[in-house]
Amino acid sequence: MYKIDCRNELLVWGFGLLFMLSHLGVTAQNKVLIIGIDGTRPDALLVAKTPHLDNLWQNGAYSFNAQTDPLSWSGVCWTSMLTGVWKEKHKVYSNEYKNPNVKEYPHFFRRAKEQTPNLKTYSIANWKPVHTILQENDATGTIHRKTDKKVTDEVVKTLKNTDVDAMFVHLDDVDHAGHKYGYALNNDKYIGAIEKADEKVGKIVKALKRRKEYGKENWLVLVSTDHGGTGYGHGKDIPEHTTIFYIASGKDVVQGELLKQVNIVDVAVTALKHLGLDVKEEWKLDGEVSGL
Ligand SMILES: [Zn+2]
C-alpha cells in the first residue's frame, strides 16, 4: 500500500512540476513591443494609406476613439502612457519634465523588473525627453536617434540580434510634419508623414517576425500616439487634440473594435498584464487592460 501511495504522490508532484515549468516557459516568452507615433490623429490615420497599420488593427483589437490627457503635450501624454497613471500622479505637466514623480509612479519597465529582474527592456526614441522618466536600470538599453529612419534602423538591429522582452519605440516625424505644415486631413504632407511612419512600422514588424526564436515567442504589439493636433499645434482639451488611436495585435488579443472607453494609461497596464506580471492594487495605476 505504502509503495503505491508513494508512487501516486510522485506522479502528482511530477505533473505539478511539469505544469509549472511549461507555465513558466510560456510566461517567460511573452513579450511586448510598443510603437508610439507622435502627433497622429486617428481620423488622419484612416485617411492615409497605411497597409501595415491596417493589418495590425484589422486583425487585432482597436479603438479610434481612445483618449489622451486633456493637457495634450507630448511630455505629459508619453508619461501617462508609460507609467499607466494620469498627470495628477506622475506630475509631468509640460515638455520640460520638472520633478516627475517617478519614485511613486515609475516607468512600467521598473514595475516589470521589480517582479522579474532579468527582463530585457529597451527604449528607442527620436524625442529624447521621453527618456527623462527612466531611472537607473529601468532600461537595458536607452537609445536616442535624431531621425525616425535611424530609430527604425536601431530597432531592426536590436530585434535581430538581442534578447528583448519589452521595447518602446518613439517615432516623431508625423508630429514634425503637423507643426510645420498643419495637422489636417487634407494636408498631403501630414498624411504623407503618416504613410512614411507606416512603412517604418512595416519594417519593424517584419524584423520582429524574423527573430530566430519568434515561433516560441508571444509578442503583443501595441501602437498608439500621444495626442492629435489642429492648425500648427496641440496642447488643448479639444477632441482633435485628445482623441487618439489604440491598436493591440497578437495571439492573445480579442479581435475587434473596443467598445469601452480606452485611455492612454491603458498601454502600460496592458503591457504589464501581457508580460505575465501581477498588476498590484498598491501601485494605484489608472489604466485598465485593453484588448486582451
Ligand atoms: Zn507629441
Side-chain angles (χ1 to χ4, degrees):
M1 275 306 278
Y2 173 75
K3 261 187 187 165
I4 291 165
D5 276 354
C6 190
R7 212 164 52 185
N8 282 346
E9 206 165 294
L10 270 175
L11 267 173
V12 168
W13 275 101
F15 277 120
L17 193 69
L18 257 174
F19 174 79
M20 236 173 68
L21 283 175
S22 65
H23 188 73
L24 276 175
V26 169
T27 307
Q29 293 295 324
N30 274 20
K31 293 165 186 278
V32 173
L33 168 66
I34 300 169
I35 304 173
I37 310 173
D38 207 302
T40 308
R41 286 176 57 149
D43 48 3
L45 177 62
L46 288 169
V47 166
K49 288 191 185 69
T50 55
H52 303 290
L53 287 161
D54 292 352
N55 191 37
L56 293 177
W57 69 261
Q58 286 168 4
N59 296 297
Y62 62 93
S63 171
F64 292 104
N65 191 31
Q67 291 297 308
T68 191
D69 200 287
L71 188 59
S72 53
W73 297 111
S74 301
V76 181
C77 300
W78 289 124
T79 306
S80 296
M81 180 188 285
L82 296 167
T83 59
V85 298
W86 298 111
K87 64 180 176 307
E88 289 74 17
K89 289 180 182 169
H90 64 60
K91 306 287 184 202
V92 172
Y93 288 98
S94 73
N95 289 348
E96 285 161 39
Y97 285 83
K98 284 179 194 157
N99 305 315
N101 189 14
V102 288
K103 292 287 173 231
E104 226 177 322
Y105 298 102
H107 195 291
F108 84 93
F109 284 178
R110 194 172 192 87
R111 294 296 192 201
K113 284 187 159 199
E114 275 171 21
Q115 290 183 24
T116 315
N118 58 355
L119 280 185
K120 302 289 185 286
T121 53
Y122 287 82
S123 187
I124 305 178
N126 183 337
W127 193 57
K128 198 178 176 185
V130 83
H131 289 147
T132 312
I133 59 165
L134 286 166
Q135 301 175 78
E136 209 183 340
N137 298 324
D138 285 4
T140 312
T142 308
I143 300 160
H144 166 235
R145 292 289 178 269
K146 284 180 180 168
T147 67
D148 281 2
K149 186 187 178 302
K150 286 180 181 168
V151 166
T152 305
D153 289 346
E154 197 61 44
V155 171
V156 167
K157 195 174 86 187
T158 308
L159 286 174
K160 189 176 178 187
N161 304 322
T162 319
D163 186 10
V164 181
D165 294 297
M167 182 185 273
F168 171 67
V169 178
H170 170 269
L171 301 176
D172 214 7
D173 286 352
V174 174
D175 194 54
H176 293 166
H179 283 297
K180 198 167 172 189
Y181 306 110
Y183 298 78
L185 307 196
N186 60 1
N187 183 321
D188 289 349
K189 288 193 167 146
Y190 181 60
I191 298 296
I194 296 174
E195 292 173 351
K196 288 216 172 72
D198 181 68
E199 287 169 19
K200 293 181 173 70
V201 170
K203 280 184 186 163
I204 292 168
V205 171
K206 191 168 153 191
L208 192 71
K209 291 186 173 169
R210 283 190 175 170
R211 283 169 64 78
K212 244 184 255 160
E213 301 291 309
Y214 184 74
K216 292 181 200 163
E217 297 173 344
N218 180 15
W219 283 90
L220 172 69
V221 179
L222 300 173
V223 191
S224 188
T225 183
D226 54 340
H227 53 73
T230 50
Y232 300 96
H234 54 85
K236 292 183 188 162
D237 183 10
I238 56 172
E240 295 88 342
H241 293 190
T242 62
T243 310
I244 59 169
F245 67 93
Y246 175 91
I247 301 170
S249 167
K251 282 180 222 159
D252 294 345
V253 165
V254 181
Q255 285 187 19
E257 186 175 9
L258 289 154
L259 299 173
K260 65 159 191 162
Q261 182 58 58
V262 177
N263 294 301
I264 197 164
V265 287
D266 295 355
V267 173
V269 178
T270 306
L272 285 166
K273 181 76 183 172
H274 181 73
L275 288 170
L277 300 160
D278 173 25
V279 178
K280 292 184 181 170
E281 197 83 12
E282 71 210 48
W283 293 348
K284 292 177 274 176
L285 300 187
D286 293 323
E288 291 174 2
V289 174
S290 281
L292 298 181

